[in-house]
Amino acid sequence: MLKRRTVLQGALAGALVSGCSSGPSGQPTVDPENPFAVAPDAPVEVLAGEEYGGFGAAAYRKKYPAVNVTATVSAKLRDLVLPRFAAGNPPDVVLNSGDGRLELGRLVGQGQLADLQSLLEAPAWDNADATVQDAVLPGMLDAGRYEGSQRSVNYVATVYGLWYSAGLFQRFGWDVPRTWPELLALGTEMKAAGLGPFVYAGAHPYYLLEMVLTLAAKTGGHDVMKRIDNLEDGAWKDESVTRAITAVGELAKRGLIAPGSTDFDHIAAQKRFLASKAGLLPCGNWLENEMKPLIPANFALTMSGVPPLDGSSALARGLHVAATAPYLVPEKAKNKAGGLEYLRVMLSKDIATQVTQESNQLTIVRGAADGLEIGTALRSARDLLTAAGDHVITWYFADWYPDFATAAAQTTGQFLAGGLQFSEWTARIQSAADKLKQDKAVTKYHRD
């Protein structure tokens, strides 16, 4: 069993930091201005799936004027990079995003990706009194850990929640629900006002499963999702999970689902929501970028967290956040030190702020979006993320075992559409998890 996304124990001895001298105690000393001892004239090559991947180039050139930094953006990242990994001449930095993403697990298994722990322990680009890791939001590095080693730094913080129109809420005098019973009561008011209270994409039922799991984790704490990720016996029968699926089932029982939801794809569901024919929509904070031309003026698109079942929740501020868009430094990069230094630039507050301003996405860098003049959508997601703190909820089984995740999502869609009883939902998913656990042909991962 591979042990992935576990915390690396002990400090790295500094093997990746070349050119360090020894202090009086015999320990290597690091120049905080140049912790990786990069050559001041060695070129740096960046390949990125999105434009912001090259945003660090100007700051790098300013510090090292003799360096030629090239940043190439391509939607066909996989086609460009894989042959170069195979030939042993990969670029120095890769932003693995967009439709042409690389399969990281395979590259890790081939020893193609450098350990980034020295990057995390290095002084921050814009604050020598703090480390790079200090600048990162809690829980956002786990997604890049494989067998205890940091092989990627996932740069974008994707926040999930329930979307609503603040303009619509103001018109009807509705309050954002603070508990699940308040959400059900609000749904009843929305229905009386002629809205389909809750709309979702039945063609993509993972959104429903995401809400169930968030509610379960809020109820029972982080260990609920750790047990599910680790395929522990009975994990899907945990009381927090059964309470969550029962609560979500109440939406259907009370007739609070917008008509047609079971057949909508994500665009159709989002269009209905933006037309104010439905009051609440579960989705990630990419929604604004995806639907920007169709968002009405004065709609005030706003995200709220999934409300907890009651006041006894273990993670009252719990928020599902997925760290995406991995940055990589290839092990065989010609200028690996330059690659690490480039990531140090990208993890500075100034560059992360620029990324948020120009791409309308949140990053994993603490405080990078604070004080920005941004719209209601991104501002609400930012404020939820800030308030969550150590209540950030994460899970990884959907990446580790995508076929199982798809089956679990489809089962959830069938349940909410009335095709399954509660007991059947639990039994089917637990049985599928048990079968997966016993399947020796599937590589298993573990989360501490």
Side-chain angles (χ1 to χ4, degrees):
M1 176 181 288
L2 293 177
K3 206 167 187 184
R4 176 182 174 183
R5 294 178 175 127
T6 54
V7 179
L8 185 66
Q9 301 296 321
L12 194 65
L16 292 181
V17 184
S18 60
C20 296
S21 60
S22 296
S25 64
Q27 296 296 318
T29 58
V30 175
D31 178 1
E33 292 298 317
N34 187 1
F36 310 116
V38 299
D41 57 353
V44 177
E45 182 187 6
V46 181
L47 282 183
E50 295 187 60
E51 185 178 358
Y52 68 80
F55 282 7
Y60 196 107
R61 293 189 196 104
K62 184 177 181 180
K63 184 172 182 178
Y64 304 100
V67 170
N68 179 27
V69 182
T70 59
T72 302
V73 180
S74 174
K76 298 181 178 180
L77 193 71
R78 186 187 306 111
D79 294 340
L80 287 177
V81 178
L82 280 183
R84 295 186 56 181
F85 271 116
N89 65 336
D92 304 308
V93 179
V94 177
L95 172 60
N96 188 34
S97 62
D99 294 334
R101 292 187 295 272
L102 304 165
E103 186 179 336
L104 296 196
R106 180 170 297 181
L107 292 175
V108 171
Q110 294 171 351
Q112 294 278 17
L113 304 185
D115 190 328
L116 302 181
Q117 189 64 25
S118 62
L119 166 70
L120 303 181
E121 295 174 354
W125 177 268
D126 44 9
N127 181 7
D129 294 329
T131 66
V132 170
Q133 184 163 340
D134 292 335
V136 175
L137 291 165
M140 293 294 97
L141 293 172
D142 289 352
R145 290 193 175 110
Y146 294 74
E147 297 185 287
S149 298
Q150 195 79 39
R151 300 296 174 174
S152 73
V153 171
N154 292 26
Y155 192 73
V156 171
T158 300
V159 178
Y160 291 80
L162 292 176
W163 290 99
Y164 67 96
S165 164
L168 185 71
F169 271 47
Q170 184 177 26
R171 191 190 325 157
F172 283 95
W174 293 330
D175 294 324
V176 176
R178 294 166 297 180
T179 64
W180 198 259
E182 288 185 9
L183 182 145
L184 296 175
L186 172 62
T188 301
E189 291 186 40
M190 288 179 169
K191 188 175 181 180
L195 279 72
F198 184 88
V199 67
Y200 67 93
H204 305 287
Y206 180 78
Y207 294 112
L208 293 177
L209 179 62
E210 187 279 329
M211 188 168 64
V212 171
L213 295 177
T214 298
L215 190 55
K218 287 177 80 94
T219 302
H222 295 298
D223 285 346
V224 172
M225 291 314 307
K226 288 181 181 180
R227 289 193 291 270
I228 285 176
D229 280 343
N230 293 336
L231 301 176
E232 291 187 14
D233 295 342
W236 288 88
K237 296 181 179 180
D238 185 283
E239 181 183 3
S240 297
V241 178
T242 58
R243 289 183 66 194
I245 188 63
T246 301
V248 172
E250 282 292 311
L251 294 170
K253 279 188 177 182
R254 300 191 184 199
L256 303 180
I257 304 295
S261 290
T262 55
D263 299 319
F264 288 152
D265 64 10
H266 63 296
I267 297 298
Q270 290 162 192
K271 283 182 176 179
R272 189 172 185 86
F273 167 68
L274 294 173
S276 293
K277 295 180 180 179
L280 296 167
L281 170 79
C283 191
N285 72 296
W286 62 80
L287 176 65
E288 182 182 26
N289 284 349
E290 187 171 67
M291 303 299 288
K292 186 167 288 186
L294 299 181
I295 300 173
N298 303 319
F299 190 84
L301 180 64
T302 308
M303 176 186 278
S304 68
V306 174
L309 290 180
D310 51 44
S312 65
S313 298
L315 301 174
R317 305 186 311 277
L319 186 73
H320 177 209
V321 183
T324 60
Y327 268 108
L328 327 166
V329 174
E331 178 63 31
K332 296 179 181 178
K334 186 175 181 179
N335 186 9
K336 187 163 65 172
L340 294 170
E341 184 76 338
Y342 186 84
L343 293 196
R344 199 165 71 102
V345 179
M346 289 301 304
L347 290 165
S348 67
K349 190 173 180 179
D350 283 350
I351 300 301
T353 296
Q354 182 187 357
V355 171
T356 294
Q357 288 175 318
E358 299 195 27
S359 72
N360 205 43
Q361 299 182 89
L362 298 173
T363 73
I364 65 170
V365 178
R366 291 178 186 267
D370 291 353
L372 293 182
E373 293 185 9
I374 51 182
T376 57
L378 194 63
R379 184 167 68 244
S380 59
R382 176 200 66 191
D383 293 348
L384 287 169
L385 180 58
T386 300
D390 59 1
H391 283 201
V392 164
I393 296 166
T394 57
W395 59 77
Y396 305 112
F397 76 91
D399 292 327
W400 295 346
Y401 317 115
D403 291 343
F404 168 66
T406 297
Q410 291 172 343
T411 301
T412 306
Q414 291 171 351
F415 167 74
L416 205 63
L420 293 176
Q421 297 297 317
F422 154 75
S423 58
E424 293 176 296
W425 180 90
T426 303
R428 281 194 186 186
I429 298 181
Q430 185 61 62
S431 176
D434 294 341
K435 183 178 180 181
L436 172 63
K437 184 177 181 177
Q438 299 303 319
D439 188 347
K440 295 182 179 179
V442 177
T443 301
K444 306 304 188 303
Y445 301 103
H446 183 84
R447 174 186 179 188
D448 283 347

